[in-house]
Amino acid sequence: MIVYFVRHAERLKTGGRNPKSPISETGFNQARSVGERLKKVQIDVIYSSSYERAKQTAEVISKIINKPIELWDHLIEANSEKESFDDLNKRSEAVLVHLLEHHQNDSV
């Protein structure tokens, strides 16, 4: 299994870290650039958090490489005020277990 991590593209500055903050025009350009690069590698599925900026980034990439997106809330940003290190560690472990169980021979 090969896993590629892509951080969401640049968000609009006015939205802050709000989960509903969309990506900016520069962000759309960044996502298109990543999508073009990923056309050169084998990708089987795209995972994204439900945050708007992450979904928008994934949607742009998905259209370019023609692969499905699976939304998964385990991938949301860590909230250091509400989430302990142990909580974050458990969430990260759940992501890895899921990937190994469902995509052992895939690139995600």
Side-chain angles (χ1 to χ4, degrees), residues 32-96:
R32 282 190 285 274
S33 177
V34 170
E36 290 299 322
R37 285 190 212 152
L38 290 176
K39 281 176 29 176
K40 300 173 186 171
V41 297
Q42 174 63 39
I43 301 287
D44 298 294
V45 65
I46 298 168
Y47 280 94
S48 173
S49 79
S50 58
Y51 280 23
E52 187 64 23
R53 58 190 170 271
K55 287 192 307 186
Q56 287 179 317
T57 302
E59 288 166 355
V60 171
I61 294 169
S62 173
K63 286 179 185 174
I64 293 170
I65 66 172
N66 196 29
K67 295 298 176 182
I69 301 169
E70 293 185 28
L71 296 180
W72 208 28
D73 282 334
H74 277 74
L75 298 173
I76 62 171
E77 293 181 12
N79 184 336
S80 59
E81 295 174 9
K82 296 180 182 177
E83 190 171 34
S84 71
F85 180 77
D86 287 339
D87 292 337
L88 180 60
N89 195 32
K90 287 176 188 170
R91 190 158 49 101
S92 300
E93 185 177 320
V95 169
L96 293 174

Side-chain angles (χ1 to χ4, degrees), residues 10-46:
E10 178 186 86
R11 64 174 164 73
L12 285 176
K13 303 294 185 224
T14 57
R17 292 185 64 179
N18 183 319
K20 295 180 182 177
S21 297
I23 60 176
S24 66
E25 190 57 40
T26 298
F28 278 103
N29 291 332
Q30 291 170 336
R32 282 190 285 274
S33 177
V34 170
E36 290 299 322
R37 285 190 212 152
L38 290 176
K39 281 176 29 176
K40 300 173 186 171
V41 297
Q42 174 63 39
I43 301 287
D44 298 294
V45 65
I46 298 168

